[in-house]
Amino acid sequence: MSELIKKGELGKKAAYILGNSSSKEKNKALENIASKLVEKYEIILAANKIDTDLAKENGISESLLDRLTLTEERIRSMAKGVSDIVKLDDPVGEVTSMKLMENGLKIGKQRVPIGTIGIIYEARPNVTADAAALCLKTGNAVILRGGKEAFNSNIKIVEIIQEALEESGLPKASVQILEDTSRETATAFMKLNKYLDLLIPRGGAGLIRAVVENATVPVIETGTGNCHIYIDSEADLEMGKNIIINAKTSRPGVCNAAESLLVHKNVAEEFLPMALEALRDKSVEIRGCTETKKIVPWVDAATEEDFYTEFLDYILSVKVINSLEEAIEHINEHGTKHSEAIVTTNYFNSEEFLKKVDAAAVYVNASTRFTDGGEFGFGAEIGISTQKLHARGPMGLKELTSSKYIIYGNGQIR
């Protein structure tokens, strides 16, 4: 607990300095961080090898191992993500509105840093650099709590970031990481109201649930993605096949990967055999409803639980649907409000889907894999918010700011 208090105190002091730093000062630090990540990639890879070797010994799944593994190319991509943030406009200080009142007061609204942000995440060491860079650009200090699987990688990345910060004249404590990855420390971290202004969990359903149930610090829920691709009665079936293959297999261990395929009954007999065979060729295990099994007998029988599950693996649930309305109802019942897609050539069906599906990102004729801060033009992202308050969807720089009112007067009294 003393480690938490110390880090909280240091974070709060650093947040004050960062919040009053210029864009030029913050960008200089970010450029230095990007440079050092590339310069010291071999040190990061050595630490990552310790993590991946341990993970293999512990029987980690292939998809989770992929999320954990760093390569020189991935480290360069991580550094490029930091450099890309330098190029983005700094939202801090932006006056988003200004109005003149009848009494002569000028009332404006201005973007300001949130303060000190806590981030709890799992086996993705690239999140360490992404989160640090986004928080720095927006004048927020950050305290990171990564998973034990990526412990050595995260520690080394933070050490390099802190070295770059000190060289750039910003507080080392602007970016901190908890060395204790125990559940007890994580729970205490979630209750650090005196020092944390916001807590962002980034990971699977279990992590999100634990944070929501235990935190007393304000939380933005991110990450859990039971995403669907719906093949409409009027769809380009070849397009649909390409979209589901991409959405399921390009990186099955990420939150914007498709977990469920819904197919309208009118095209099921034509679409399912070709699509499911192509997915099987990519090593995807198919779990289908009764109607799916009638059309493609080799698929495994799906349970009701399968349709609620974020597999994060080469597993896909499949259901034959009777109507567009049923597809929308199924998605709203079983989805996690992350990313949903319809494949259709019917404009009115696409508009109905866009209007009625309750999710942070809703697609027409495109893969759910595009739900990403970089793909949306925000630079790196802190996570995908699946809630509705303050931020929803990919969280970029603006979502990491709050606001305050600034009022100009010339002696008014009330």
Side-chain angles (χ1 to χ4, degrees):
M1 192 64 183
S2 58
E3 179 202 0
L4 285 177
I5 299 296
K6 184 177 179 183
K7 288 186 183 299
E9 290 173 344
L10 289 170
K12 200 155 190 171
K13 290 176 182 175
Y16 179 78
I17 295 170
L18 277 176
N20 291 285
S21 297
S22 67
S23 297
K24 185 177 180 180
E25 290 170 317
K26 293 182 289 186
N27 285 337
K28 177 185 174 185
L30 289 167
E31 286 168 350
N32 200 11
I33 289 167
S35 175
K36 281 197 178 292
L37 287 171
V38 173
E39 177 190 325
K40 304 200 172 192
Y41 80 91
E42 290 179 335
I43 296 172
I44 298 171
L45 288 180
N48 185 246
K49 187 175 187 306
I50 297 171
D51 291 329
T52 54
D53 286 348
L54 283 170
K56 289 172 188 174
E57 286 176 20
N58 293 327
I60 195 172
S61 71
E62 284 298 318
S63 57
L64 287 178
L65 182 62
D66 175 61
R67 298 175 83 169
L68 174 62
T69 302
L70 292 175
T71 62
E72 181 182 350
E73 182 182 355
R74 286 186 178 182
I75 292 171
R76 289 186 180 278
S77 177
M78 192 190 307
K80 183 179 182 301
V82 176
S83 296
D84 287 345
I85 290 170
V86 173
K87 301 169 190 172
L88 297 174
D89 291 337
D90 185 350
V92 176
E94 177 190 354
V95 177
T96 59
S97 68
M98 180 68 76
K99 59 183 177 180
L100 180 64
M101 307 302 289
E102 288 184 6
N103 60 8
L105 287 177
K106 286 169 62 178
I107 300 178
K109 195 173 185 182
Q110 185 178 50
R111 292 190 189 279
V112 296
I114 289 172
T116 304
I117 298 174
I119 301 178
I120 301 181
Y121 55 108
E122 295 175 320
R124 291 184 68 180
N126 64 298
V127 173
T128 305
D130 288 352
L134 285 163
C135 288
L136 284 170
K137 180 80 175 191
T138 49
N140 297 297
V142 64
I143 302 176
L144 303 163
R145 194 275 186 185
K148 63 180 184 297
E149 299 87 355
F151 177 78
N152 295 285
S153 307
N154 290 336
I155 292 292
K156 194 54 63 181
I157 291 168
V158 169
E159 285 178 1
I160 291 167
I161 289 172
Q162 289 181 334
E163 182 183 330
L165 283 167
E166 283 193 303
E167 287 181 6
S168 304
L170 290 179
K172 178 179 174 180
S174 300
V175 178
Q176 300 180 82
I177 189 164
L178 301 184
E179 288 84 5
D180 183 351
T181 59
S182 69
R183 186 169 296 180
E184 293 74 21
T185 298
T187 302
F189 185 51
M190 298 174 201
K191 302 178 187 299
L192 212 61
N193 294 64
K194 186 176 178 182
Y195 303 105
L196 293 182
D197 297 288
L198 177 67
L199 189 61
I200 303 174
R202 184 166 171 173
L207 171 65
I208 306 294
R209 187 168 55 250
V211 173
V212 171
E213 290 175 357
N214 290 289
T216 54
V217 174
V219 174
I220 291 181
E221 295 179 48
T222 72
T224 309
N226 183 18
C227 306
H228 299 73
I229 305 293
Y230 167 57
I231 309 299
D232 189 36
S233 58
E234 299 177 55
D236 180 328
L237 300 186
E238 186 65 25
M239 177 195 290
K241 183 186 78 170
N242 293 336
I243 286 174
I244 186 59
I245 289 171
N246 173 265
K248 179 69 256 182
T249 68
S250 62
R251 264 192 104 179
V254 294
C255 62
N256 58 21
E259 304 290 15
S260 194
L261 171 65
L262 307 179
V263 182
H264 193 283
K265 65 180 181 180
N266 291 358
V267 297
E269 289 194 11
E270 182 181 356
F271 181 76
L272 285 173
M274 71 169 184
L276 299 191
E277 196 62 49
L279 286 161
R280 182 162 70 164
D281 289 345
K282 296 274 190 179
S283 303
V284 178
E285 176 188 333
I286 308 297
R287 300 179 184 178
C289 69
T290 304
E291 290 303 312
T292 301
K293 282 186 65 64
K294 284 179 184 177
I295 298 167
V296 186
W298 56 261
V299 307
D300 296 329
T303 65
E304 179 61 15
E305 184 181 353
D306 287 328
F307 293 109
Y308 285 99
T309 301
E310 181 190 31
F311 297 110
L312 298 174
D313 205 346
Y314 286 92
I315 304 169
L316 182 72
S317 63
V318 182
K319 187 175 179 65
V320 176
I321 295 292
N322 294 313
S323 65
L324 170 64
E325 194 60 41
E326 184 186 339
I328 292 169
E329 288 176 4
H330 179 94
I331 289 169
N332 287 341
E333 167 63 28
H334 296 82
T336 52
K337 306 186 188 305
H338 193 294
S339 301
E340 311 292 355
I342 183 174
V343 179
T344 186
T345 57
N346 185 305
Y347 170 79
F348 297 101
N349 286 358
S350 69
E351 290 301 300
E352 188 83 353
F353 192 85
L354 289 172
K355 178 183 177 182
K356 292 185 176 179
V357 167
D358 184 13
V362 186
Y363 293 82
V364 176
N365 296 330
S367 170
T368 55
R369 288 281 287 111
F370 286 99
T371 306
D372 175 84
E375 295 292 339
F376 280 21
F378 305 155
E381 82 201 14
I382 208 78
I384 312 292
S385 171
T386 54
Q387 65 179 41
K388 297 182 182 181
L389 294 179
H390 170 61
R392 196 177 195 196
M395 293 176 60
L397 297 176
K398 289 183 178 179
E399 287 73 25
L400 289 177
T401 63
S402 183
S403 61
K404 68 179 175 185
Y405 284 95
I406 51 175
I407 301 94
Y408 297 91
N410 53 8
Q412 286 89 343
I413 58 173
R414 183 180 178 185

